Amino acid sequence: MFELGRTLMTAGVSSTAKENVGFGEEIAKCLLRHSACDWGDLCEEDSLLNNEALTSGDRLLSAYETSEGRIWIITEGDRSATTILFPSEY
């Protein structure tokens, strides 16, 4: 539905994925969900904002619960990059 641009992850997510292969697989599934406009565990208002952002060009945010805690996936408004991070790293 939209371009992800360059896919990045924070140091915390990257290091956790290296230690826990299963978490790395969860990240891949979450990224697929994000790219398919499945915004995960967001409230209805935030989901609606994402749906509007598809046409307005604003940034997109998804949230998913994983075995290592919640992760966020953020795609920039210009669709140049998508970053995977723990909320504590924001």
Side-chain angles (χ1 to χ4, degrees):
M1 298 278 307
F2 59 93
E3 294 293 321
L4 293 174
R6 186 173 178 201
T7 303
L8 310 163
M9 62 180 72
T10 58
V13 170
S14 177
S15 130
T16 304
K18 286 177 185 172
E19 295 171 7
N20 179 349
V21 175
F23 177 60
E25 293 169 358
E26 287 179 271
I27 291 170
K29 289 178 184 176
C30 292
L31 192 58
L32 285 173
R33 288 176 63 189
H34 177 76
S35 68
C37 302
D38 172 352
W39 312 124
D41 303 311
L42 293 182
C43 67
E44 184 176 345
E45 181 180 344
D46 287 342
S47 292
L48 291 173
L49 286 172
N50 274 351
N51 292 336
E52 291 172 12
L54 290 169
T55 55
S56 69
D58 291 330
R59 80 176 188 173
L60 301 164
L61 165 72
S62 294
Y64 306 98
E65 294 298 331
T66 72
S67 62
E68 296 289 343
R70 183 175 283 250
I71 61 168
W72 286 350
I73 301 179
I74 300 173
T75 298
E76 298 302 325
D78 64 3
R79 309 300 185 250
S80 63
T82 296
T83 305
I84 304 160
L85 64 153
F86 291 118
S88 63
E89 297 177 297
Y90 187 74

